[in-house]
Amino acid sequence: MRYPDGGGLSARQRARRAAVRLEAAGWFADGVPVAEVARRLRVSKTAVFGWQQRWRRGGEQALASRGPGGARCRLDGSRLRRLADALDEGPAVHGFGADQRWTLARVSDLIARMFHTRYTLRGTAYLLHRIGWSVQIPAHRAVERDETAIAAWRREVWPAGKR
């Protein structure tokens, strides 16, 4: 699962986890058994065994956070802003007809046209999530819909029926 900050954990959460691993390194140096370290930190023994192996090979530096996981985004911040602006303009402006719905295929095609970079549909969904867009199911409403009549009905008729 990806989050808007570009990785599974925020920088603060990664730092907190790195601090836990460094605390474990101190106990490794003191000769505390793996099971005891796992109990004190409330983590699995498997995780502690992995940390201990890394600590033996590279010391405390080997336990430092390696940054956010996953692949780097192929679009930098300015391109993501340009994409968000293009999405706000609507599909019709970009030649997708009168239907005002962005689909993953349309967004993927738009990215390819604007930035000469291809994304899969799943990658496009991750990218949209990163810039704050979410999946929406459009409300199908009649063209003849009269919003003022509906508001009046909700205000006057509907409360009378609830009694």
Side-chain angles (χ1 to χ4, degrees), residues 32-90:
V32 177
V34 168
E36 179 61 20
V37 172
R39 188 191 64 74
R40 289 180 186 178
L41 296 175
R42 290 193 253 156
V43 297
S44 70
K45 288 185 224 174
T46 304
V48 176
F49 274 118
W51 297 344
Q52 189 178 49
Q53 283 182 342
R54 285 171 46 195
W55 175 75
R56 284 181 180 153
R57 279 191 234 122
E60 289 186 4
Q61 296 82 14
L63 296 177
S65 175
R66 290 176 273 182
R72 297 271 180 232
C73 182
R74 288 179 268 161
L75 302 181
D76 60 10
S78 66
R79 287 181 171 187
L80 288 174
R81 282 188 294 282
R82 282 180 48 208
L83 175 62
D85 292 342
L87 292 173
D88 286 336
E89 292 171 350

